[in-house]
């Protein structure tokens, strides 16, 4: 994969709204635009032994500070996983007229913002999960999170100790630590969201999203959904069961403890949705901005919704990046040279409208936006309870309408092995999507290749026939695509290609120049209209006999 | 110089010698037996697998090729058995495939394979007709493979051609010694 599949989102919560709302009006834009704010530059050092403690302290401070107003924004280096913090920083200045002042040191940050904290909580560098417990306490008790070495600094700014986790969890399992935290803090936390502060563990940790959890008083954890970790799994299930219906699990699964597939399967089975990643920064800031006055998100449609096209005897190829905008191909060279579909995580309309506007502003006519992944958040639809599916997809339809999107992208890796293997949808799931989305022009399924296909009225559902790994030599990718073209010899042949986010469009251009046959690269909406006109693909769903890597809980 | 007359006895003798020579050459050298490990750096890029070991064993005219594949923490084993004496039909044929392509073994498909030793027993040639599933349904793929053992017996090169692919796949394996296992 994916060493780790990346499903990033930029998430913000519109200032006035809860989990299911549409963004605030342009009037609210005036509340935050044209204001002063502060920014800091982070480097790439997230090691526990060096850069992490100060960053954790600053991120917790950011969450507290931004409760009152969006005041502190962090810019990460261009080679950080989230490449857009810099461009978005520029966007806030230009379109929202935010006047930023740079803060250079942690000392200066505390001088400016310590007033928003009532004290500090000390985490234990020897016990990684204690950082998550500390973040929980930070949100509940308005504390900044510090390591022992930072105590003098925060006390210099008048902060007093609220709690001290050093030694509390020595020798305990993660299950025991989080059970203790659950017993102490769960009842005080919000119950429509939790912070799955997983991702990197051990020597390096990246709690970039912690400001958001602190701001909103979430319960922080990195419990495992691996069936082998029975105690952690039991507590995780309890938390999921006690969350409100349709809750959001922010963050990401813990690397090395469980898999993305296990965790997403489990939360989906409770009807919840995932919004990643654990290191996505600045949500406490981004969530308080809306679209600028007069802005309406409009897509680059290439065909009318009710257009009828007729496919010729060709090979039609369409490229899609499904890891969402925000990292990867969008900022790499060549965008605009080829028609390209971009999966936009639906909740951006609720959590980070400014970022959506930024992407819209920088789009080319060749950039086409689609909804996903699977619904109003990342989830595996084969496992969504039947009674939750309609409600969730109603939320998705609403968001797609705001975003002017006409295609839904679906992904269910619950039976897959990373980005290979079984990524198909059951017939029941396919039936539900067709019923829930009468107005889309079609569906795309998969991450790696899959073989779920259907055509009902004018709405095709097609799966990726190919996944481009960024490490694969371009001439081999071309040879692979040519092989698919040769094997699928009936014309027209419809070949949807998933482009992993770390590719770049220039290298795709290089590939297309090596393709053989009557090949035409088309935008996704045109592709789906053509596929509706001539069904040369089979109808197929997940077959019970198909091998499954993860067989569930 | 006197010319050598071939008496009937001598004809029988030399004929038997030649027959014995051909019979010897029709069996492979034992070099191909053993465990072979894919050398990723020397091979065509392989998607969907991190490592591959082949364990090859001969028993009479039968040759079994055990594939030991690894992807992340997943271990997968599959065996194909060929016979140089006669073509075989397999219902569970395994091929090392690029798993980022939507090309799958066809359900209920059968694979016909013919095995031959060539190049004085240094190369195992396999000609395989298999059915694969693609988005347009089940189609036939013709595969031509040569497993070539190097002169020193430490390298096994698999050259694979598909009827659907102009660019050959070349996988280079190194012999796994007892110490390296």
């Amino acid at each position: 994969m994916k060493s780790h599949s990346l499903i990033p989102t930029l998430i913000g919560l519109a200032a006035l709204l809860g989990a299911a709302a549409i963004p605030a009006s342009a009037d609210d834009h005036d509340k935050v635009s044209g204001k002063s704010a502060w920014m800091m530059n982070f480097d790439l050092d997230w090691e526990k032994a060096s850069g992490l403690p100060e960053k954790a302290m600053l991120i917790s401070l950011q969450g507290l500070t931004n409760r009152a107003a969006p005041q502190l924004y962090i810019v990460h280096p261009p080679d950080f996983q989230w490449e857009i913090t810099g461009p978005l920083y520029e966007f806030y200045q230009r379109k929202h007229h935010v006047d930023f002042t740079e803060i250079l040191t942690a000392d200066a940050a505390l001088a400016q913002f310590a007033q928003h904290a009532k004290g500090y909580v000390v985490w234990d560098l020897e016990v990684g999960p204690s950082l998550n417990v500390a973040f929980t306490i930070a949100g509940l008790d308005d504390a900044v999170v510090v390591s022992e070495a930072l105590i003098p600094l925060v006390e210099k700014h008048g902060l007093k100790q609220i709690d001290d986790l050093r030694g509390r969890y020595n020798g305990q399992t993660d299950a025991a630590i989080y059970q203790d935290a659950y017993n102490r803090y769960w009842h005080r936390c919000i119950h429509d969201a939790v912070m799955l502060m997983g991702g990197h563990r051990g020597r390096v940790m990246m709690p970039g999203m912690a400001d958001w959890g602190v701001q909103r008083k979430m319960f922080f954890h990195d419990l495992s959904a691996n069936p082998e970790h029975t105690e952690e799994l039991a507590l995780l299930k309890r938390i999921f069961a006690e969350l409100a219906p349709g809750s959001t699990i922010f963050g990401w699964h813990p690397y090395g403890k469980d898999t993305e597939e296990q965790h997403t399967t489990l939360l989906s089975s409770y009807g919840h949705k995932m919004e990643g990643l654990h290191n996505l920064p600045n949500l406490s800031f981004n969530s308080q901005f809306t679209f600028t006055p007069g802005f309406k998100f409009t897509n680059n449609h290439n065909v009318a919704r009710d257009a009828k096209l007729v496919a010729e005897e060709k090979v039609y190829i369409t490229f899609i990046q499904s890891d969402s905008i925000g990292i990867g191909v969008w900022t790499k060279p060549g965008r605009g040279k080829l028609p390209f579909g971009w999966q936009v995580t639906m909740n951006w309309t609720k959590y980070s409208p400014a970022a959506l506007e930024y992407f819209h502003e920088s789009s080319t006519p060749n950039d086409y936006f689609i909804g996903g992944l699977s619904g109003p958040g990342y989830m595996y639809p084969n496992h969504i309870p039947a009674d939750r599916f309609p409600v969730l997809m109603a939320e998705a339809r609403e968001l797609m309408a705001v975003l002017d999107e006409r295609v839904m992208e679906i992904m269910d890796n619950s039976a897959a092995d990373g980005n290979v293997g079984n990524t198909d949808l059951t017939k029941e799931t396919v039936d539900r999507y067709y019923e829930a989305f009468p107005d889309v022009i079609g569906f795309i399924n998969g991450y790696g290749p899959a073989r779920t296909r259907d055509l009902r009225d004018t709405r095709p559902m097609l799966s990726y026939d190919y996944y481009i790994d960024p490490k694969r030599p371009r001439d081999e990718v071309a040879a692979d695509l040519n092989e698919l073209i040769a094997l699928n010899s009936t014309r027209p042949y419809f070949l949807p290609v998933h482009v992993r986010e770390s590719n770049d469009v220039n290298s795709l251009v290089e590939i297309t120049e090596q393709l053989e046959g009557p090949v035409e690269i088309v935008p996704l909406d045109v592709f789906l209209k053509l596929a509706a006109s001539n069904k040369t693909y089979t109808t197929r769903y997940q077959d019970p006999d198909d091998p499954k890597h993860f067989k569930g809980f | 110089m006197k010319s050598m007359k071939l008496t009937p006895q001598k004809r029988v003798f030399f004929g038997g010698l030649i027959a014995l020579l051909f019979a010897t050459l029709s069996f492979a050298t034992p070099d191909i037996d053993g465990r072979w490990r894919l050398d990723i750096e020397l091979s065509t890029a392989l998607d969907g697998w991190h490592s591959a070991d082949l364990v090859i064993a001969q028993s009479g005219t039968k040759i079994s090729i055990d594939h030991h594949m690894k992807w992340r923490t997943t271990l997968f084993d599959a065996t194909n058995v060929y016979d140089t004496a006669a073509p075989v039909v397999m219902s569970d044929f395994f091929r090392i495939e690029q798993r980022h392509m939507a090309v799958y073994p066809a359900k209920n498909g059968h694979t016909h394979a013919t095995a031959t030793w060539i190049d004085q027993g240094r190369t195992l040639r396999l000609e395989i007709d298999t059915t694969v599933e693609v988005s347009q349904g089940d189609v036939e793929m013709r595969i031509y493979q040569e497993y070539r053992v190097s002169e020193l017996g430490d390298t096994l090169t698999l050259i694979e051609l598909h009827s659907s692919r102009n660019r050959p796949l070349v996988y280079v394996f190194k012999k796994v010694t007892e110490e390296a296992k």
Side-chain angles (χ1 to χ4, degrees):
Chain A
M1 209 174 165
K2 100 185 183 187
S3 53
H4 307 287
S5 175
L6 302 173
I7 315 291
T9 66
L10 289 176
I11 301 170
L13 177 64
L16 301 176
L17 303 176
I22 297 297
S25 68
D27 289 340
D28 296 299
H29 162 78
D30 295 334
K31 291 181 182 172
V32 294
S33 73
K35 297 287 189 184
S36 297
W38 290 260
M39 61 80 68
M40 295 190 76
N41 283 297
F42 271 16
D43 60 24
L44 291 174
D45 179 5
W46 293 86
E47 298 223 6
K48 205 159 48 167
S50 47
L52 173 66
E54 184 177 282
K55 287 185 172 66
M57 191 276 291
L58 288 168
I59 291 169
S60 62
L61 182 66
Q62 182 189 32
L64 296 175
T65 297
N66 287 343
R67 278 181 179 165
Q71 300 182 82
L72 179 57
Y73 183 87
I74 297 170
V75 178
H76 293 260
D79 45 347
F80 184 59
Q81 189 167 17
W82 294 94
E83 299 172 357
I84 64 154
T85 58
L88 197 53
Y89 166 63
E90 183 275 333
F91 183 85
Y92 280 128
Q93 295 174 79
R94 180 167 51 82
K95 294 298 289 277
H96 290 272
H97 312 296
V98 177
D99 182 20
F100 285 99
T101 301
E102 185 176 1
I103 293 181
L104 292 172
T105 64
D107 190 23
L110 284 162
Q112 185 70 40
F113 299 121
Q115 59 182 295
H116 297 286
K118 292 179 182 159
Y120 65 88
V121 50
V122 189
W123 66 288
D124 189 340
L125 264 68
E126 300 304 312
V127 182
S130 73
L131 179 57
N132 280 335
V133 180
F135 278 128
T136 300
I137 296 169
L140 296 175
D141 294 331
D142 301 351
V144 292
V145 167
V146 300
S147 61
E148 182 175 312
L150 291 171
I151 292 174
L153 178 63
V154 293
E155 287 189 341
K156 172 187 159 190
H157 291 278
L159 295 178
K160 302 275 188 284
Q161 189 180 96
I162 289 176
D163 211 337
D164 186 349
L165 303 181
R166 289 174 293 178
R168 180 184 297 180
Y169 297 122
N170 280 355
Q172 294 188 31
T173 63
D174 288 6
I177 293 169
Y178 288 122
Q179 182 65 62
D180 178 75
Y182 171 91
N183 294 340
R184 289 174 189 254
Y185 311 116
W186 173 246
H187 65 285
R188 296 172 57 204
C189 297
I190 62 171
H191 283 186
D192 63 1
V194 288
M195 182 59 72
L196 173 58
M197 188 47 73
H200 302 77
R201 294 166 57 239
R203 186 174 55 84
V204 169
M205 298 167 80
M206 281 198 189
M209 204 193 244
D211 63 306
W212 179 233
V214 167
Q215 186 192 46
R216 293 197 57 212
K217 303 189 182 194
M218 293 184 202
F219 184 79
F220 282 68
H221 72 89
D222 73 336
L223 288 162
S224 169
N226 185 333
E228 292 179 8
H229 304 145
T230 51
E231 290 182 352
E232 288 192 53
L233 180 58
L235 179 55
L236 184 58
K237 285 180 173 178
R238 183 173 185 179
I239 290 171
F240 282 162
E242 292 178 4
L243 285 169
S247 286
T248 305
I249 283 67
F250 291 99
W252 204 235
H253 79 95
Y255 298 158
K257 273 217 283 189
D258 65 9
T259 65
E260 176 185 341
E261 292 77 35
Q262 288 165 339
H263 217 109
T264 313
T265 299
L266 183 67
L267 64 90
S268 299
S269 72
Y270 287 84
H272 300 318
K273 44 202 179 214
M274 174 94 90
E275 292 292 350
L277 297 170
H278 58 293
N279 55 1
L280 174 61
N282 296 316
L283 301 188
S284 61
F285 187 95
N286 295 338
S287 62
Q288 300 185 63
F289 289 81
T290 64
F291 294 141
T292 53
F295 173 79
K296 189 176 183 307
F297 200 96
T298 55
N299 211 338
N300 296 314
H301 298 294
N302 299 279
V303 286
R305 190 190 285 275
D306 59 356
K308 285 188 168 36
L309 303 183
V310 177
E312 297 173 36
E313 295 203 349
K314 289 186 178 183
V315 175
Y316 293 103
I317 295 180
T318 195
F319 293 113
I320 300 158
Q321 183 195 283
S322 76
D323 281 310
S324 199
I325 297 179
I327 65 173
V329 187
W330 186 271
T331 56
K332 289 197 168 54
R335 183 170 55 80
K337 289 184 180 175
L338 289 174
F340 223 85
W342 301 91
Q343 182 262 316
V344 175
T345 305
M346 315 278 255
N347 281 316
W348 290 8
T349 54
K350 296 183 291 178
Y351 299 139
S352 196
L356 279 181
E357 187 174 346
Y358 159 76
F359 286 117
H360 179 270
E361 178 190 74
S362 55
S363 69
T364 73
N366 261 338
D367 296 318
Y368 186 68
F369 302 108
I370 65 175
L373 261 177
S374 307
Y378 177 40
M379 54 188 78
Y380 290 161
N382 284 337
H383 296 268
I384 297 174
D387 61 343
R388 291 294 309 155
F389 194 92
V391 171
L392 287 163
M393 298 308 151
E395 190 183 339
R397 284 197 304 274
E398 207 173 78
L399 297 170
M400 286 177 79
V402 172
L403 287 168
D404 193 23
E405 289 170 347
R406 297 179 185 168
V407 178
M408 166 57 81
E409 185 181 13
I410 306 161
M411 173 182 167
D412 189 312
N413 266 23
S414 55
D417 186 3
N419 58 16
V420 295
N422 188 339
T423 51
D424 285 303
L425 307 176
T426 64
K427 183 175 182 298
E428 291 71 28
T429 299
V430 173
D431 290 344
R432 288 184 191 139
Y433 272 107
Y434 271 104
E435 185 174 346
F437 293 93
D439 296 327
V440 297
I441 62 172
F443 304 91
I444 285 289
N445 173 63
Y447 189 90
R451 33 187 179 168
T452 299
R453 292 177 292 270
D454 204 338
L455 174 64
R456 301 187 191 184
D457 48 73
T458 60
R459 295 171 294 160
M461 179 181 286
L462 288 167
S463 293
Y464 293 117
D465 257 17
Y466 191 71
Y467 162 88
I468 301 184
D469 187 305
K471 296 196 195 74
R472 189 157 179 78
R474 306 292 89 172
D475 48 6
E476 290 298 335
V477 172
D480 294 342
L481 292 174
N482 281 327
E483 183 162 24
L484 283 168
I485 291 170
L487 287 168
N488 290 276
S489 58
T490 302
R491 300 289 171 256
Y493 167 40
F494 301 101
L495 171 45
V497 177
H498 176 214
V499 182
R500 178 68 189 272
E501 36 78 14
S502 33
N503 283 280
D504 71 86
V505 178
N506 278 342
S507 76
L508 298 183
V509 172
E510 188 188 319
I511 289 165
T512 60
E513 289 166 354
Q514 299 178 58
L515 297 181
E516 296 162 9
V519 172
E520 186 174 339
I521 316 293
V522 295
L524 178 56
D525 54 347
V526 171
F527 180 89
L528 290 168
K529 286 292 184 185
L530 292 168
S533 74
N534 191 342
K535 187 176 176 290
T536 54
Y537 41 93
T538 63
T539 297
R540 199 191 190 281
Y541 314 106
Q542 187 183 76
D543 186 326
D545 293 335
D546 291 338
K548 288 183 179 171
H549 175 72
F550 178 59
K551 295 175 176 52
F553 296 95
Chain B
M1 184 188 341
K2 275 188 182 173
S3 61
M4 193 167 89
K5 252 188 169 173
L6 278 179
T7 63
Q9 293 82 359
K10 281 179 184 170
R11 283 202 184 109
V12 169
F13 174 74
F14 282 116
L17 203 58
I18 290 165
L20 183 62
L21 183 63
F22 275 112
T24 305
L25 291 173
S26 71
F27 288 100
T29 63
D31 281 342
I32 202 170
D33 282 25
R35 190 172 197 101
W36 301 88
R37 183 152 295 156
L38 183 69
D39 188 323
I40 301 271
E41 296 300 318
L42 296 178
S43 301
T44 300
L46 179 58
D47 265 10
W49 299 109
H50 289 145
S51 67
D53 275 14
L54 302 181
V55 177
I56 300 178
Q58 296 173 79
S59 175
T61 59
K62 289 193 168 41
I63 305 140
S64 68
I65 301 180
D66 296 343
H67 302 81
H68 299 281
M69 314 297 295
K70 186 173 180 195
W71 164 252
R72 303 197 314 175
T73 56
T74 299
L75 301 174
F76 183 81
D77 297 331
T79 302
N80 296 334
V81 181
Y82 306 95
D83 192 340
T84 57
V88 297
V89 178
M90 290 178 263
S91 61
D92 52 359
F93 171 70
F94 177 81
R95 65 184 183 95
I96 298 178
E97 56 185 289
Q98 308 297 337
R99 297 207 291 165
H100 291 141
M101 297 172 68
V103 182
Y104 307 87
K107 191 173 179 180
N108 303 320
H110 289 91
T111 298
H112 299 256
T114 304
T116 317
W117 290 108
I118 59 175
D119 301 336
Q120 292 83 49
R122 298 210 72 82
T123 300
L124 174 65
R125 179 175 67 193
L126 300 176
E127 294 169 278
I128 299 160
D129 292 301
T130 190
T131 310
V132 294
E133 178 193 343
V134 295
S135 70
Q136 293 185 342
D138 290 352
V139 297
E140 296 301 310
M141 180 192 285
R142 191 178 67 251
I143 301 173
Y144 179 90
Q145 291 180 332
E146 287 191 10
Y147 288 81
R148 298 179 181 177
V149 182
S150 64
E151 185 175 351
L152 293 178
D154 57 350
T155 302
L156 177 70
T157 303
L158 166 57
I159 300 171
E160 180 169 313
L161 277 176
H162 298 170
S163 53
S164 46
R165 189 184 184 93
N166 288 345
R167 193 177 174 91
L169 301 162
V170 180
Y171 299 120
V172 178
F173 298 83
K174 297 295 187 183
K175 194 79 172 275
V176 178
T177 58
E178 280 304 318
E179 300 84 53
K181 275 184 192 170

